[in-house]
Amino acid sequence: MDPHLLRTFTAVVRLASFSAAARELGYTQSAVSQHIAALEADLGVELLGRRPVAPTEAGSRLLEHAGPLLLRIGAARAEVVRAAHSPAARLVLGASPLAFGDRTARALAGLRAAAPRTDVTVRLLERAGVVAGVACGDLDLGLVDGAAAPSDPLRLPDAGPLHTAGVGEEPLAVVLPDGHPLADREGLRLTELIDALWLDAPDAAIPLDELRAACGNGFRTGPRYDGTDVRTLLTLARAGHGLALLPASVAGAGAVPLAAPRLVHRTEALHRGDPGRAARVLTDLLGVSR
């Protein structure tokens, strides 16, 4: 399967439109139609219904594989290019919002003191975006977070041979609305809150799918917050729009510690191959476990 055809296919499915995919990819609409026809001829199956534009069952199966395939191709290209060029005096650090905190900021200050000529860029991204950025070479070093059992590694998307290492773990806490009847508890079990209304904030709090993975179905979805600013999330939670699970250091004094299940907020660093001197210095300053 030609990766150019796969990119066209995924764009058409995502946008549900041949013309919109053509505009995004810089092709004519007829070229997009030819790409889809060539891919269908190669596989011998119909991949897209035309009215409306939507994947067939075979197209849905292909879509499940297309993203990881394209990511691995991008990662391979980036690694080949990296191998042919000497690393520059730079660090592009990508981090999910809850993975970047005071500790990382202090480590970056230490890096500037140790290597003042290093060009540093920090990008806050969703968790999957950090993994993809490291895999494709857009990021020299990534920091990602999530809920996990103590000392257990995070479950990350398959993006090829990434090197991961633990940065730190801390307790989790439930952010409740002001005046909530459970606010005076010493600890809360997630199973007690399975029928509660939760904010859907996948990039600013522990995602709901991680809570469901730990406790099963439930955790009714309240308003969705697509941002990364934790202060906005806290404001929404305390105003009664839904609960949120956050690292205790972020949740604040009014939050109630999570008592069960036995989960912690875990942060990991990830990179491909040799990330460069600046990234190595930063991970040393962060005290990354080897």
Side-chain angles (χ1 to χ4, degrees), residues 40-275:
E40 290 178 329
D42 179 22
L43 295 172
V45 294
E46 184 181 36
L47 298 171
L48 290 172
R50 269 45 175 192
R51 294 187 180 180
V53 176
T56 63
E57 183 176 351
S60 296
R61 299 291 80 74
L62 177 61
L63 190 65
E64 293 175 1
H65 295 281
L69 284 171
L70 292 172
L71 180 57
R72 292 296 298 270
I73 290 170
R77 178 186 294 274
E79 188 160 337
V80 170
V81 170
R82 257 198 315 270
H85 298 84
S86 298
R90 67 151 206 179
L91 173 67
V92 181
L93 172 67
S96 51
L98 293 178
F100 189 95
D102 292 341
R103 181 181 177 187
T104 307
R106 290 192 296 269
L108 285 172
L111 170 63
R112 291 183 60 199
R117 298 176 67 87
T118 302
D119 182 12
V120 176
T121 301
V122 177
R123 297 176 185 164
L124 285 187
L125 304 165
E126 76 277 10
R127 294 170 179 86
V130 175
V131 176
V134 172
C136 292
D138 295 330
L139 304 174
D140 301 308
L141 183 68
L143 295 174
V144 291
D145 75 286
S151 301
D152 276 5
L154 297 177
R155 295 181 179 180
L156 301 176
D158 178 16
L162 296 181
H163 299 271
T164 62
V167 174
E169 296 179 351
E170 69 166 301
L172 287 160
V174 181
V175 181
L176 301 167
D178 292 337
H180 194 281
L182 299 178
D184 59 351
R185 295 276 293 274
E186 293 184 358
L188 286 171
R189 304 171 66 90
L190 275 183
T191 51
E192 298 178 277
L193 306 169
I194 203 165
D195 294 323
L197 188 69
W198 289 76
L199 283 165
D200 185 13
D203 298 324
I206 301 301
L208 295 185
D209 59 359
E210 294 189 18
L211 306 190
R212 293 175 182 129
C215 297
N217 293 328
F219 302 99
R220 292 188 298 125
T221 301
R224 181 175 176 88
Y225 174 53
D226 282 330
T228 59
D229 180 28
V230 178
R231 291 176 300 177
T232 301
L233 174 73
L234 290 171
T235 300
L236 289 168
R238 288 167 181 160
H241 293 284
L243 309 186
L245 187 64
L246 290 169
S249 63
V250 176
V256 180
L258 179 68
R262 193 162 170 257
L263 296 174
V264 295
H265 177 254
R266 179 175 172 84
T267 301
E268 291 182 357
L270 59 153
H271 61 84
R272 286 183 66 91
D274 184 354

